[in-house]
Amino acid sequence: MKRWLLAFSAVAVVALVGYTGFARNSAATPAAPPPPHTAKVAKGTLTATEDVDGTLGFGDPVTVNGRLPGTVTGLPAAGATVRRGEAMYRADGRPVVLFYAAAPFYRTLKPGDKGEDVTAFEANLAALGYKGFTADDSYTGATADAVRDWQHDLGLPETGTVELGRVVVAPDVVRVGEVKAHLGDNAAGPILRWTGATRLVTVQLDVTEQRLAAVGAPASVRLPDDTVADGRISAIGAVATASVQNNQTKVTVDVTVSIADQARLATFDAAPVKVTLVAQQRENVLTVPVSALVALSEGGYGLQLIDGPGTRTVAVQTGLFASGRVEVSGPGLAEGQTVGVAG
């Protein structure tokens, strides 16, 4: 009996000694140190972009074909700007004038006429400062009187009617591109080509990448000298065009990027450019550097959150990746927290 008690005591002593040693070892083990590199959890807008090729210019040219008989007696210089009420060219010494309208005039305008062309003509006449008539869709005697005043100022016969071909229309101010006619040519033929007066960028965007384009979306344009100009998508073509490149068919749509600050374009009238389009954007989200993600043994990703002298790993859901950062979400995750990142 005593031997058994003695043996039990010895076992108890060994066990106690073992426990004491374990406790000492546990107390001596320091907490895991924080990673040598850290970053903050940020909150804001994350934007993914893609670069595409574009062309800086003044847009597609439009040809002016003379409708009046006679001889070309005056032409503008290439690069000249023409505004409402100014002469585009001269035939038999008389001006052919620019008005702003969406559709060309197709008939001689005279008292009694009604229609959208009358509305457009009278709106231009009023914009030039002529009065005494109502700008509507009816060409009245009062309109004819205002037309006579206009004709007098231009040095035209004061007939009160507007002959077909006396007015050329464009949506806004134009820039003369190629001058096709020469002085002395027949006035009833190609005279010149015009474009818009404002420089813009055209992108032939592959139809598979149309997700990148939305009217009103921001875009940035990098010029050959590395200057960057801010722009916005102002138009997307409704017609797709097919072309063959390296024996492969490519289908594209034209995307127009407008540049508000034309001074940023310096002296470039035409140039190949790089256009950065927004592929995807997430607003008001938490983000961290991509290098902060750690792979979890159970799958997915986590972050090393730094709490005081130590760290703890928390699982997170990832969203958009862009510009070296990633959208993250998860319980307890908040703006301003410190996370470890790979060195």
Side-chain angles (χ1 to χ4, degrees):
M1 182 66 175
K2 290 181 179 180
R3 289 181 180 175
W4 184 85
L5 288 174
L6 183 60
F8 177 81
S9 298
V11 171
V13 170
V14 171
L16 180 59
V17 170
Y19 174 80
T20 304
F22 174 80
R24 286 176 180 170
N25 289 339
S26 296
T29 301
H37 302 285
T38 62
K40 295 290 187 181
V41 178
K43 191 173 189 178
T45 299
L46 189 62
T47 303
T49 60
E50 290 192 31
D51 290 341
V52 295
D53 293 327
T55 303
L56 175 68
F58 288 91
D60 294 332
V62 177
T63 300
V64 173
N65 290 299
R67 304 291 297 273
L68 294 171
T71 301
V72 175
T73 56
L75 291 166
T81 298
V82 183
R83 293 174 172 79
R84 181 184 0 230
E86 297 178 347
M88 286 284 280
Y89 67 98
R90 288 181 173 269
D92 287 350
R94 295 168 178 169
V96 174
V97 180
L98 175 67
F99 273 11
Y100 299 162
F105 299 131
Y106 60 91
R107 58 177 173 170
T108 296
L109 294 177
K110 59 189 183 302
D113 286 341
K114 291 179 177 290
E116 293 182 359
D117 52 346
V118 174
T119 301
F121 181 84
E122 290 188 344
N124 278 271
L125 206 58
L128 290 172
Y130 293 95
K131 298 182 169 84
F133 66 99
T134 301
D136 54 18
D137 64 350
S138 298
Y139 196 117
T140 65
T143 305
D145 289 339
V147 168
R148 291 187 185 94
D149 292 339
W150 172 67
Q151 290 170 330
H152 172 80
D153 293 340
L154 292 175
L156 299 172
E158 298 171 30
T159 63
T161 64
V162 184
E163 58 195 315
L164 179 62
R166 182 57 62 192
V167 175
V168 174
V169 302
D172 208 326
V173 181
V174 303
R175 177 182 182 273
V176 177
E178 179 187 4
V179 179
K180 302 179 73 67
H182 298 84
L183 296 179
D185 283 354
N186 190 326
I191 306 297
L192 55 82
R193 305 182 83 189
W194 61 262
T195 63
T198 302
R199 288 169 291 179
L200 48 80
V201 172
T202 301
V203 174
Q204 291 183 325
L205 189 65
D206 194 294
V207 292
T208 62
E209 297 182 327
Q210 279 189 277
R211 61 186 174 79
L212 300 177
V215 173
S220 61
V221 176
R222 184 173 296 276
L223 300 167
D225 64 357
D226 280 340
T227 299
V228 176
D230 293 331
R232 287 196 176 274
I233 296 176
S234 56
I236 300 173
V239 178
T241 303
S243 61
V244 178
Q245 300 178 6
N246 299 323
N247 295 323
Q248 293 185 337
T249 300
K250 184 177 182 180
V251 182
T252 61
V253 293
D254 284 347
V255 174
T256 302
V257 178
S258 297
I259 311 295
D261 185 2
Q262 292 280 296
R264 294 290 295 173
L265 302 176
T267 59
F268 291 104
D269 282 348
V273 296
K274 282 291 184 183
V275 181
T276 301
L277 301 176
V278 175
Q280 194 174 355
Q281 192 170 70
R282 296 278 292 158
E283 296 181 353
N284 200 35
V285 295
L286 298 176
T287 70
V288 296
V290 173
S291 57
L293 294 177
V294 293
L296 302 178
S297 59
E298 63 269 27
Y301 293 99
L303 296 175
Q304 285 185 299
L305 288 181
I306 298 176
D307 291 331
T311 65
R312 60 188 176 93
T313 300
V314 297
V316 295
Q317 295 292 323
T318 59
L320 178 64
F321 287 74
S323 303
R325 299 188 69 85
V326 57
E327 174 191 356
V328 290
S329 60
L333 199 59
E335 179 183 10
Q337 291 175 315
T338 302
V339 297
V341 297

